[in-house]
């Protein structure tokens, strides 16, 4: 069957009769347009910001037919035309342009001035004073509103003329208002900082169209900050100056010397921090400066000083005899604790800051449960938190005590982009336990530590062998490596976990052992495939039939595919399409950004949404699509929400997700493709993290060669982070003996 050729664009002109739906944030709208030539009513759907009922409108788009709502025009471009007829002007003024100007007042104004009404309102508003019921304030408001509408339309036309999509143009207009054109022309690079969806490359293209000199200082500054931002997204807190200059010169195809002269200016303006590399410097060394984004320099230094302050500060001891409390817990629980577990509990009760780290099956959860019971028995307050909603829910389920996300605990305010809890408004309680601490990036860690008072003990729980945080820094590993904080490293696998192949495989990988399948009734399997195409077919079979038939797991609810990357034959994108067609075929769907969304789909939120209280990594089900209103409806575990079509970029199909997005989660069954296609991502920490996400079943599908490559590769790549050295520097400064990592470790079983 030949592919249908796209239909030719259609241009219509008419008057807006009414809006069926509109989103003021994105400009997305569904409206009824009365066509000027025929009088027929056309449904227009798409990004159309800043419009009012009664306005004359020219739209261009593609004709489509909705199965429920019939013919509609999917708008690509639009242009507002000032209404010229008396009836059009009257409808325009009566549409809610100004509060207090309704149909009656609009009719009165138009009866007086006719088709000249808009010109009079804009340029000769004093003439309106002759009308009874219109005071000076209302006249001024009306005049300003008409001018603002005209200005906004001019802004949209300006931005669209420079190749920006309607949705992006609408966001820029909303951010800057009627001054958008002037602000963009003065410095288009500010868009990269101020408007979501505008990166350096879009801003740079716009700058070229406007005529900004390629050697303009603002271009060099924006490029340097863009490269630092890219590095931060790769996990780096800073870049060596030489690396920053090299990357930026390659981006701009310019000489490094022209960029180097901009660094002092950026530093003086407080946009970057130019420092000597953290750590000791010998006299014969010639240290090269390092460059931080200003916010990351502040965060990294703040974390080190906050930890130092907590350790050295005058902190109150808990009214608990730690050793006696451990004995009490073993008696009331009937549990026998390992020596390392007992030592970890004592350390948590005694030290101002402590760390508990270890892999699966070593009893970290038991320690947290013990702390919960001990503090409850002493009528002390224990606060539980984790970086993500999924991790917080797991913590709550395992302890029986309420747990929250760190953002909720610290009372994050999205509009102000700040936490209400800080050193002036600290947290309350006797102890704070933060689970999945490997997920802490340096900025979130800084916000957390600022809010921890000296009267509150802090316990970080995590697995240092997991993938590091998605955000910049390597906080848990750096703190451990510094030797500054008392730490308990748990290695003993407990009796109830020894029969788990998942636990066996995970701990074996840390020692460089290649995983092997367990027995017929085991919980870990490696299914070999000759190539990526076969691996893809096997994976579909595993999820669709073999695992559900053998283990009784529901493929939608219980099975999660975890991929090293999104692209490729067995990347998450391709597998999502496969599994969507396999598990959820033939449903009502909408397509955005190359992704298909269907009723019944499993979807994942990929950005924190503080208004909805839906967090990055939360998984829900798409329950309804309303194409007429341009909305989808989703059910999450705790609540239901609706999203506009323009917000679908915040959601990804979640039949298959990246290993990185699985951090902090556990799934009943996990299926992991691993092939040499993924060679750039094949590292021990990645496969280890994926394997440890499975509770009852883990299946690896792919190449033994790829698996061996991953397990043998224990080099996760250096993250440029100075936290470890900063902590060591403070140790040298304060003259206090370092807190050594505890040596009471159990031998691996």
């Amino acid at each position: 069957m030949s592919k249908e050729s796209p239909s030719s664009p259609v241009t219509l002109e008419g008057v807006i009769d009414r809006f069926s739906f509109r989103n003021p944030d994105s400009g997305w709208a569904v409206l009824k347009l009365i066509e000027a030539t025929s009088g027929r009513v056309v449904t227009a759907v798409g990004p159309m910001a800043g419009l009012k009922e009664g306005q004359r409108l020219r739209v261009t788009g593609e004709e489509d037919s909705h199965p429920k709502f019939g013919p509609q025009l999917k708008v690509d471009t639009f242009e507002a035309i000032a209404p010229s007829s008396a009836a059009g002007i009257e409808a325009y003024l009566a549409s809610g342009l100004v509060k207090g100007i309704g149909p009656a007042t609009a009719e009165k104004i138009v009866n007086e001035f006719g088709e000249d009404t808009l010109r009079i309102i804009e340029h000769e508003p004093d003439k309106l004073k002759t009308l009874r019921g219109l005071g000076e304030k209302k006249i001024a408001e009306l005049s300003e509103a008409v001018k603002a509408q005209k200005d906004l339309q001019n802004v949209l036309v300006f931005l669209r003329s420079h190749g920006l999509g309607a949705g992006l143009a609408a966001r820029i207009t909303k951010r800057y208002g009627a001054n958008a054109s002037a602000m963009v022309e003065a410095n288009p690079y500010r868009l990269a900082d101020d408007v979501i969806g505008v990166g350096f490359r879009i801003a740079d293209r716009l700058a070229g169209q406007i005529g900004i000199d390629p050697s303009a200082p603002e271009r060099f500054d924006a490029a340097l900050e863009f490269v630092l931002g890219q590095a931060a997204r790769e996990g780096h807190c800073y870049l060596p100056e030489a690396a920053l200059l090299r990357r930026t010169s390659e981006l701009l195809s310019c000489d490094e010397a022209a960029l180097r002269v901009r660094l002092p200016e950026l530093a003086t303006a407080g946009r970057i921090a130019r420092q000597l590399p953290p750590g000791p410097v010998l006299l014969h060394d010639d240290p090269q400066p390092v460059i931080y984004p200003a916010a990351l320099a502040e965060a990294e230094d703040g974390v080190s000083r906050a930890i130092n302050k907590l350790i050295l500060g005058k902190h109150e001891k808990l009214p608990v005899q730690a050793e006696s409390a451990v004995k009490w817990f073993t008696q009331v629980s009937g549990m026998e604790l390992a020596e390392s577990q007992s030592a970890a509990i004592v350390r948590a009760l005694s030290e101002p800051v402590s760390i508990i780290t270890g892999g699966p099956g070593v009893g970290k959860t038991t320690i947290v449960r013990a702390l919960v019971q001990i503090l409850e028995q002493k009528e002390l307050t224990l606060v539980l938190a984790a970086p993500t909603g999924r991790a917080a829910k797991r913590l709550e389920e395992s302890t029986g005590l309420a747990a929250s996300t760190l953002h909720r605990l610290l009372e994050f305010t999205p509009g102000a982009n700040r936490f209400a809890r800080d050193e002036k408004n600290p947290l309350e309680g006797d102890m704070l336990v933060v689970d999945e601490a490997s997920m802490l990036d340096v900025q979130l860690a800084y916000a957390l530590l600022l809010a921890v008072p000296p009267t509150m003990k802090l316990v970080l729980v995590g697995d240092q062998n997991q993938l590091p945080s998605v955000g910049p820094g390597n906080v848990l590993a750096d703190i451990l490596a510094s030797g500054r904080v008392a730490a308990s490293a748990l290695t003993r696998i407990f009796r109830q976990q020894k029969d788990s192949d998942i636990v066996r495989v995970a701990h074996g990988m840390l020692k460089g052992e290649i995983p092997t399948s367990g027995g017929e009734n085991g919980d870990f399997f490696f299914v070999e495939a000759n190539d990526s195409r076969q691996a893809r077919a096997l994976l579909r079979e595993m999820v669709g039939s073999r695992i559900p038939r053998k283990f009784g797991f529901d493929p939608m609810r219980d099975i999660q595919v975890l991929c090293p990357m999104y692209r490729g034959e067995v990347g998450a994108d391709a597998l999502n399409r496969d599994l969507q067609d396999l598990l959820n075929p033939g449903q009502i769907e909408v397509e955005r950004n190359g992704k298909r969304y269907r009723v019944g789909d499993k979807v994942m939120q990929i950005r924190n949404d503080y208004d909805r209280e839906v967090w990055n990594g939360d998984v829900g089900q798409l329950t309804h699509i309303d194409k007429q209103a341009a909305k989808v409806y989703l059910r999450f575990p705790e609540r239901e929400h609706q999203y506009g079509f323009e917000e679908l970029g915040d959601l990804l199909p979640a039949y298959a997700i990246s290993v990185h997005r699985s951090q902090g989660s556990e799934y009943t069954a996990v299926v992991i493709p691993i092939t040499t296609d993924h060679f750039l991502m094949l590292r021990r920490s990645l496969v280890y993290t994926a394997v440890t996400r499975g509770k009852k079943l883990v299946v690896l599908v792919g190449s033994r060669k790829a698996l061996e490559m991953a397990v043998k590769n224990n080099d996760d790549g250096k993250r440029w982070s100075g936290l470890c050295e900063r902590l060591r520097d403070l140790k040298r400064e304060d003259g206090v003996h370092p807190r050594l990592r505890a040596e009471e470790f159990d031998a691996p079983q």
Side-chain angles (χ1 to χ4, degrees), residues 388-390 470 604-609 614-618 661:
T388 68
R390 295 161 295 153
V470 175
M604 174 180 280
Q605 179 82 17
I606 61 171
R607 295 183 184 86
N608 287 333
D609 188 325
V614 180
W615 313 110
N616 185 2
D618 284 354
R661 293 201 179 278

PDB file of all heavy atoms in Angstrom, residues 388-390 470 604-609 614-618 661:
ATOM      1  N   THR A 388      12.700  10.805  45.290  1.00  0.00           N
ATOM      2  CA  THR A 388      11.585  10.695  44.357  1.00  0.00           C
ATOM      3  C   THR A 388      10.347  10.150  45.055  1.00  0.00           C
ATOM      4  O   THR A 388      10.435   9.518  46.113  1.00  0.00           O
ATOM      5  CB  THR A 388      11.925   9.756  43.183  1.00  0.00           C
ATOM      6  OG1 THR A 388      12.052   8.404  43.678  1.00  0.00           O
ATOM      7  CG2 THR A 388      13.205  10.172  42.497  1.00  0.00           C
ATOM      8  N   GLY A 389       9.200  10.369  44.415  1.00  0.00           N
ATOM      9  CA  GLY A 389       7.954   9.858  44.954  1.00  0.00           C
ATOM     10  C   GLY A 389       7.934   8.343  45.030  1.00  0.00           C
ATOM     11  O   GLY A 389       7.416   7.752  45.977  1.00  0.00           O
ATOM     12  N   ARG A 390       8.496   7.678  44.014  1.00  0.00           N
ATOM     13  CA  ARG A 390       8.528   6.215  44.015  1.00  0.00           C
ATOM     14  C   ARG A 390       9.361   5.681  45.172  1.00  0.00           C
ATOM     15  O   ARG A 390       8.963   4.749  45.864  1.00  0.00           O
ATOM     16  CB  ARG A 390       9.107   5.709  42.693  1.00  0.00           C
ATOM     17  CG  ARG A 390       8.263   6.036  41.477  1.00  0.00           C
ATOM     18  CD  ARG A 390       9.130   5.929  40.218  1.00  0.00           C
ATOM     19  NE  ARG A 390      10.168   6.917  40.195  1.00  0.00           N
ATOM     20  CZ  ARG A 390      11.350   6.805  39.566  1.00  0.00           C
ATOM     21  NH1 ARG A 390      11.618   5.706  38.917  1.00  0.00           N
ATOM     22  NH2 ARG A 390      12.222   7.788  39.582  1.00  0.00           N
ATOM     23  N   VAL A 470      21.103  11.700  38.439  1.00  0.00           N
ATOM     24  CA  VAL A 470      20.879  12.250  37.110  1.00  0.00           C
ATOM     25  C   VAL A 470      21.416  13.675  37.038  1.00  0.00           C
ATOM     26  O   VAL A 470      22.008  14.090  36.039  1.00  0.00           O
ATOM     27  CB  VAL A 470      19.377  12.210  36.754  1.00  0.00           C
ATOM     28  CG1 VAL A 470      19.121  12.894  35.418  1.00  0.00           C
ATOM     29  CG2 VAL A 470      18.877  10.768  36.717  1.00  0.00           C
ATOM     30  N   MET A 604       4.909   7.597  31.701  1.00  0.00           N
ATOM     31  CA  MET A 604       5.753   8.088  32.786  1.00  0.00           C
ATOM     32  C   MET A 604       5.915   9.599  32.697  1.00  0.00           C
ATOM     33  O   MET A 604       6.188  10.148  31.633  1.00  0.00           O
ATOM     34  CB  MET A 604       7.136   7.423  32.736  1.00  0.00           C
ATOM     35  CG  MET A 604       8.134   7.989  33.750  1.00  0.00           C
ATOM     36  SD  MET A 604       9.756   7.195  33.685  1.00  0.00           S
ATOM     37  CE  MET A 604       9.403   5.707  34.625  1.00  0.00           C
ATOM     38  N   GLN A 605       5.769  10.256  33.844  1.00  0.00           N
ATOM     39  CA  GLN A 605       6.080  11.674  33.959  1.00  0.00           C
ATOM     40  C   GLN A 605       7.594  11.847  33.967  1.00  0.00           C
ATOM     41  O   GLN A 605       8.304  11.136  34.688  1.00  0.00           O
ATOM     42  CB  GLN A 605       5.480  12.229  35.261  1.00  0.00           C
ATOM     43  CG  GLN A 605       5.751  13.704  35.526  1.00  0.00           C
ATOM     44  CD  GLN A 605       4.810  14.624  34.801  1.00  0.00           C
ATOM     45  OE1 GLN A 605       3.756  14.217  34.326  1.00  0.00           O
ATOM     46  NE2 GLN A 605       5.180  15.899  34.709  1.00  0.00           N
ATOM     47  N   ILE A 606       8.130  12.779  33.170  1.00  0.00           N
ATOM     48  CA  ILE A 606       9.584  12.927  33.074  1.00  0.00           C
ATOM     49  C   ILE A 606      10.084  14.257  33.617  1.00  0.00           C
ATOM     50  O   ILE A 606      11.272  14.551  33.519  1.00  0.00           O
ATOM     51  CB  ILE A 606      10.076  12.724  31.628  1.00  0.00           C
ATOM     52  CG1 ILE A 606       9.462  13.755  30.683  1.00  0.00           C
ATOM     53  CG2 ILE A 606       9.791  11.307  31.157  1.00  0.00           C
ATOM     54  CD1 ILE A 606      10.088  13.736  29.288  1.00  0.00           C
ATOM     55  N   ARG A 607       9.189  15.075  34.186  1.00  0.00           N
ATOM     56  CA  ARG A 607       9.596  16.302  34.857  1.00  0.00           C
ATOM     57  C   ARG A 607       8.761  16.456  36.126  1.00  0.00           C
ATOM     58  O   ARG A 607       7.596  16.054  36.160  1.00  0.00           O
ATOM     59  CB  ARG A 607       9.396  17.546  33.958  1.00  0.00           C
ATOM     60  CG  ARG A 607      10.267  17.573  32.722  1.00  0.00           C
ATOM     61  CD  ARG A 607      10.060  18.876  31.941  1.00  0.00           C
ATOM     62  NE  ARG A 607      10.812  18.886  30.697  1.00  0.00           N
ATOM     63  CZ  ARG A 607      10.385  18.386  29.559  1.00  0.00           C
ATOM     64  NH1 ARG A 607       9.155  17.861  29.496  1.00  0.00           N
ATOM     65  NH2 ARG A 607      11.142  18.416  28.465  1.00  0.00           N
ATOM     66  N   ASN A 608       9.343  17.030  37.153  1.00  0.00           N
ATOM     67  CA  ASN A 608       8.574  17.316  38.359  1.00  0.00           C
ATOM     68  C   ASN A 608       7.498  18.351  38.053  1.00  0.00           C
ATOM     69  O   ASN A 608       7.781  19.408  37.493  1.00  0.00           O
ATOM     70  CB  ASN A 608       9.483  17.832  39.477  1.00  0.00           C
ATOM     71  CG  ASN A 608      10.339  16.748  40.081  1.00  0.00           C
ATOM     72  OD1 ASN A 608       9.979  15.568  40.071  1.00  0.00           O
ATOM     73  ND2 ASN A 608      11.490  17.122  40.633  1.00  0.00           N
ATOM     74  N   ASP A 609       6.268  18.031  38.404  1.00  0.00           N
ATOM     75  CA  ASP A 609       5.147  18.950  38.224  1.00  0.00           C
ATOM     76  C   ASP A 609       4.612  19.260  39.614  1.00  0.00           C
ATOM     77  O   ASP A 609       3.865  18.480  40.202  1.00  0.00           O
ATOM     78  CB  ASP A 609       4.062  18.311  37.346  1.00  0.00           C
ATOM     79  CG  ASP A 609       2.957  19.292  36.961  1.00  0.00           C
ATOM     80  OD1 ASP A 609       2.620  20.164  37.784  1.00  0.00           O
ATOM     81  OD2 ASP A 609       2.404  19.165  35.851  1.00  0.00           O
ATOM     82  N   VAL A 614       2.893  15.617  40.744  1.00  0.00           N
ATOM     83  CA  VAL A 614       3.312  14.440  39.999  1.00  0.00           C
ATOM     84  C   VAL A 614       4.806  14.603  39.747  1.00  0.00           C
ATOM     85  O   VAL A 614       5.246  15.653  39.268  1.00  0.00           O
ATOM     86  CB  VAL A 614       2.547  14.294  38.676  1.00  0.00           C
ATOM     87  CG1 VAL A 614       3.022  13.054  37.925  1.00  0.00           C
ATOM     88  CG2 VAL A 614       1.054  14.208  38.916  1.00  0.00           C
ATOM     89  N   TRP A 615       5.569  13.546  40.048  1.00  0.00           N
ATOM     90  CA  TRP A 615       7.018  13.708  40.078  1.00  0.00           C
ATOM     91  C   TRP A 615       7.689  12.936  38.959  1.00  0.00           C
ATOM     92  O   TRP A 615       7.154  11.947  38.430  1.00  0.00           O
ATOM     93  CB  TRP A 615       7.573  13.270  41.438  1.00  0.00           C
ATOM     94  CG  TRP A 615       6.792  13.834  42.575  1.00  0.00           C
ATOM     95  CD1 TRP A 615       5.979  13.146  43.434  1.00  0.00           C
ATOM     96  CD2 TRP A 615       6.675  15.214  42.954  1.00  0.00           C
ATOM     97  NE1 TRP A 615       5.384  14.001  44.321  1.00  0.00           N
ATOM     98  CE2 TRP A 615       5.788  15.279  44.050  1.00  0.00           C
ATOM     99  CE3 TRP A 615       7.237  16.392  42.464  1.00  0.00           C
ATOM    100  CZ2 TRP A 615       5.455  16.482  44.672  1.00  0.00           C
ATOM    101  CZ3 TRP A 615       6.899  17.598  43.077  1.00  0.00           C
ATOM    102  CH2 TRP A 615       6.035  17.614  44.172  1.00  0.00           C
ATOM    103  N   ASN A 616       8.868  13.404  38.598  1.00  0.00           N
ATOM    104  CA  ASN A 616       9.698  12.755  37.596  1.00  0.00           C
ATOM    105  C   ASN A 616       9.822  11.266  37.926  1.00  0.00           C
ATOM    106  O   ASN A 616      10.297  10.894  38.986  1.00  0.00           O
ATOM    107  CB  ASN A 616      11.076  13.421  37.582  1.00  0.00           C
ATOM    108  CG  ASN A 616      11.972  12.881  36.490  1.00  0.00           C
ATOM    109  OD1 ASN A 616      11.580  12.022  35.698  1.00  0.00           O
ATOM    110  ND2 ASN A 616      13.186  13.379  36.423  1.00  0.00           N
ATOM    111  N   GLY A 617       9.376  10.405  37.001  1.00  0.00           N
ATOM    112  CA  GLY A 617       9.433   8.968  37.219  1.00  0.00           C
ATOM    113  C   GLY A 617       8.122   8.330  37.638  1.00  0.00           C
ATOM    114  O   GLY A 617       8.005   7.104  37.631  1.00  0.00           O
ATOM    115  N   ASP A 618       7.122   9.134  38.013  1.00  0.00           N
ATOM    116  CA  ASP A 618       5.815   8.577  38.370  1.00  0.00           C
ATOM    117  C   ASP A 618       5.169   7.952  37.128  1.00  0.00           C
ATOM    118  O   ASP A 618       5.192   8.523  36.039  1.00  0.00           O
ATOM    119  CB  ASP A 618       4.886   9.649  38.941  1.00  0.00           C
ATOM    120  CG  ASP A 618       5.228  10.029  40.374  1.00  0.00           C
ATOM    121  OD1 ASP A 618       6.114   9.378  40.951  1.00  0.00           O
ATOM    122  OD2 ASP A 618       4.609  10.961  40.914  1.00  0.00           O
ATOM    123  N   ARG A 661      16.116   6.209  34.445  1.00  0.00           N
ATOM    124  CA  ARG A 661      14.803   6.629  34.946  1.00  0.00           C
ATOM    125  C   ARG A 661      14.202   5.631  35.933  1.00  0.00           C
ATOM    126  O   ARG A 661      13.202   5.924  36.574  1.00  0.00           O
ATOM    127  CB  ARG A 661      13.837   6.865  33.780  1.00  0.00           C
ATOM    128  CG  ARG A 661      14.207   8.056  32.911  1.00  0.00           C
ATOM    129  CD  ARG A 661      13.032   8.578  32.112  1.00  0.00           C
ATOM    130  NE  ARG A 661      13.398   9.727  31.312  1.00  0.00           N
ATOM    131  CZ  ARG A 661      13.470  10.973  31.761  1.00  0.00           C
ATOM    132  NH1 ARG A 661      13.169  11.215  33.022  1.00  0.00           N
ATOM    133  NH2 ARG A 661      13.830  11.973  30.977  1.00  0.00           N
TER     134      ARG A 661
END
